[in-house]
Amino acid sequence: SHIYKKNHDMTKSWKGKTEQLLRVDDHDFTMRPAFGGPAIPVGVDVQVESLDSISEVDMDFTMTLYLRHYWKDERLSFPSSNNKSMTFDGRLVKKIWVPDVFFVHSKRSFIHDTTTDNIMLRVFPDGHVLYSMRITVTAMCNMDFSRFPLDSQTCSLELESYAYTDEDLMLYWKNGNESLKTDEKISLSQFLIQKFHTTSRLAFYSSTGWYNRLYINFTLRRHIFFFLLQTYFPATLMVMLSWVSFWIDRRAVPARVSLGITTVLTMSTIITGVNASMPRVSYIKAVDIYLWVSFVFVFLSVLEYAAVNYLTTVQERKERKLRERFSCSCGIPHSKTMMLDGNYSESDANSLAGYTRNQMVPEEEKQEKMVVHLAMSNESNSSRKRGLKGHVGLRIIQNTHAIDKYSRLIFPGTYIFFNLIYWSVFS
């Protein structure tokens, strides 16, 4: 049989070996290192593990990161023949001094505690300390939605000492921009992460003084394809659908009215759905401009048919009155009216079938009346032509067919021109 020699367990040979080696009980760790002297420098570096979510409604973001601090505390120095460091978990952190860094504008934050507190403390023989923890923080991000959804947002996570001013503690990025590391797998469904960078500056509080503040800045650009499918394409299709009514007969009232009302209600639903997922800001967003202009186009198509229907009714009423007046002036009974303008239609010829020769007007009198009516008709036509020269708008009003005809060109042309301006400005 083989005999295995057990390794010597240092923890059993001297009870409390670690604490006595670090001499934790021999010092007052409620004071910062080098108390009464210059400010202690505390280097910081961060590794971003994930960007969990970006909320437009709450105007915040959630980030999980590894936060590490570096400083020197000679009270924790210990003799070592091999110059190796000692690593501890979160239980020793409660017995020594650590920087009191907090997140400015933080709404919620916590240190992960599964399966134990995710805290690591590494002490080197010369007193240098590495303090690392895994944190998830939800912080504010002041977003500008004036160009939404064609916008880019810049958010910042701010770190600062809560109690120590710049005279006692100097926070700085340990390696400049290299102090910020990100996981290559970080991705968001609605945003493209353009860049991460670090900055630092002093923050002043009137009651307590100046503090060093570190910033983790990241720029996000929103993916537009989702909104093209969910917002822009449906709105454009509704506007194009409203133009179909220009090709429907103006006498088909149910068809044109139902089409107009359907497109108006659909546009209202799209606008309501977009605004439901956005904060109630007091300024106009880019998507609001597009949706409301589209809504106006749909609404104008409904008003266009209202104008066509009204003018058609007015024109038919005028023609009916003229028909009744001319039929009486020609001496024909009211029940059998016809227009004596020199041109007989098939219906007019059929209407004469029920009259006897005695009921008909004498040939000489008939010719005289026809001549008089023809002269009046020619005079009225010539005066109407002279009055309408150069007045295209009046011709459109009198001819209801022309309103639909011009709408088929004006509405699509105007909407295409609006799209060209919109996408050139906001893209």
Side-chain angles (χ1 to χ4, degrees):
S1 60
H2 296 281
I3 300 175
Y4 295 94
K5 183 177 181 181
K6 295 182 179 180
N7 293 328
H8 185 64
D9 191 350
M10 299 294 295
T11 59
K12 292 182 179 180
S13 61
W14 190 355
K15 185 178 180 180
K17 176 69 177 179
T18 302
E19 293 187 5
Q20 294 188 16
L21 182 64
L22 292 179
R23 302 193 304 275
V24 173
D25 297 330
D26 297 342
H27 303 280
D28 184 7
F29 282 98
T30 59
M31 301 294 182
R32 68 172 179 87
F35 180 77
I40 175 176
V42 176
V44 176
D45 69 38
V46 172
Q47 180 174 347
V48 179
E49 181 181 3
S50 64
L51 269 173
D52 301 323
S53 64
I54 307 290
S55 175
E56 290 88 357
V57 177
D58 299 327
M59 286 194 181
D60 59 23
F61 65 92
T62 302
M63 177 186 293
T64 300
L65 52 89
Y66 296 95
L67 178 61
R68 306 184 184 98
H69 306 82
Y70 302 85
W71 74 95
K72 184 177 181 180
D73 191 345
E74 295 182 353
R75 294 172 295 185
L76 296 176
S77 60
F78 60 92
S80 176
S81 58
N82 52 14
N83 199 27
K84 288 186 177 180
S85 61
M86 291 189 297
T87 303
F88 307 94
D89 57 16
R91 287 172 288 187
L92 184 61
V93 173
K94 300 177 182 179
K95 299 180 180 181
I96 64 172
W97 180 91
V98 294
D100 59 339
V101 174
F102 79 105
F103 297 101
V104 186
H105 305 307
S106 171
K107 295 182 177 180
R108 296 174 300 276
S109 60
F110 62 91
I111 299 176
H112 290 260
D113 55 1
T114 306
T115 57
T116 59
D117 291 340
N118 296 172
I119 296 176
M120 185 267 289
L121 190 71
R122 183 171 295 168
V123 182
F124 295 87
D126 59 353
H128 280 89
V129 181
L130 166 59
Y131 175 43
S132 176
M133 58 189 122
R134 182 167 175 255
I135 303 174
T136 293
V137 56
T138 301
M140 292 176 55
C141 179
N142 294 324
M143 301 182 184
D144 182 13
F145 297 106
S146 58
R147 299 177 64 90
F148 176 88
L150 305 168
D151 57 334
S152 296
Q153 303 293 342
T154 299
C155 300
S156 298
L157 184 62
E158 307 172 13
L159 296 84
E160 182 181 304
S161 172
Y162 192 84
Y164 298 100
T165 64
D166 61 340
E167 296 179 354
D168 290 321
L169 189 146
M170 184 181 68
L171 280 179
Y172 69 97
W173 290 111
K174 189 174 185 296
N175 298 311
N177 284 331
E178 299 297 326
S179 302
L180 180 61
K181 303 292 183 180
T182 58
D183 194 334
E184 296 179 355
K185 298 181 181 179
I186 294 179
S187 62
L188 295 171
S189 59
Q190 292 190 23
F191 291 93
L192 172 64
I193 304 175
Q194 291 185 322
K195 64 176 181 178
F196 277 90
H197 65 281
T198 61
T199 55
S200 61
R201 62 175 63 98
L202 290 175
F204 177 74
Y205 297 90
S206 59
S207 301
T208 54
W210 294 89
Y211 294 81
N212 294 111
R213 182 176 296 181
L214 306 180
Y215 296 82
I216 301 174
N217 305 308
F218 56 95
T219 303
L220 306 172
R221 183 170 182 82
R222 196 183 305 273
H223 292 299
I224 186 59
F225 190 71
F226 171 81
F227 296 94
L228 288 177
L229 292 178
Q230 300 295 325
T231 304
Y232 286 97
F233 284 165
T236 303
L237 291 177
M238 286 301 104
V239 175
M240 296 174 64
L241 183 61
S242 67
W243 300 341
V244 176
S245 64
F246 303 151
W247 276 266
I248 300 177
D249 187 1
R250 69 182 188 277
R251 297 180 182 85
V253 178
R256 295 189 67 163
V257 170
S258 60
L259 182 60
I261 296 300
T262 301
T263 52
V264 168
L265 293 178
T266 305
M267 283 301 305
S268 301
T269 303
I270 294 175
I271 294 174
T272 303
V274 172
N275 291 330
S277 60
M278 294 296 298
R280 294 180 177 86
V281 295
S282 59
Y283 50 84
I284 298 176
K285 303 181 291 293
V287 68
D288 293 336
I289 296 176
Y290 193 90
L291 291 179
W292 280 105
V293 170
S294 300
F295 183 84
V296 169
F297 271 90
V298 172
F299 187 73
L300 288 178
S301 66
V302 178
L303 294 183
E304 186 271 347
Y305 177 64
V308 168
N309 189 46
Y310 173 76
L311 294 177
T312 300
T313 304
V314 172
Q315 184 179 10
E316 291 178 351
R317 189 183 299 116
K318 289 182 180 181
E319 291 177 354
R320 191 182 305 111
K321 290 182 179 180
L322 290 175
R323 204 160 37 242
E324 292 175 356
R325 186 176 65 181
F326 284 123
S327 63
C328 294
S329 63
C330 293
I332 299 177
H334 182 70
S335 60
K336 298 288 185 176
T337 61
M338 61 180 292
M339 293 296 296
L340 297 177
D341 55 355
N343 296 322
Y344 293 91
S345 61
E346 183 179 356
S347 60
D348 296 333
N350 294 333
S351 64
L352 294 176
Y355 289 94
T356 62
R357 184 176 182 84
N358 295 332
Q359 291 176 326
M360 298 293 291
V361 182
E363 186 68 18
E364 296 79 10
E365 184 179 358
K366 174 181 177 182
Q367 291 180 356
E368 292 177 359
K369 291 184 177 181
M370 288 178 64
V371 171
V372 172
H373 178 65
L374 287 172
M376 292 177 61
S377 178
N378 292 332
E379 290 178 1
S380 61
N381 290 334
S382 61
S383 61
R384 185 182 297 114
K385 290 180 180 179
R386 289 194 301 268
L388 292 180
K389 286 183 178 180
H391 299 283
V392 180
L394 183 59
R395 188 188 311 140
I396 295 175
I397 294 177
Q398 291 182 350
N399 188 356
T400 55
H401 290 286
I403 295 180
D404 284 338
K405 180 180 178 181
Y406 284 100
S407 296
R408 297 170 189 173
L409 300 176
I410 295 175
F411 274 72
T414 307
Y415 193 69
I416 291 173
F417 180 71
F418 160 72
N419 274 271
L420 291 176
I421 295 178
Y422 179 87
W423 293 107
S424 62
V425 171
F426 291 101
S427 62

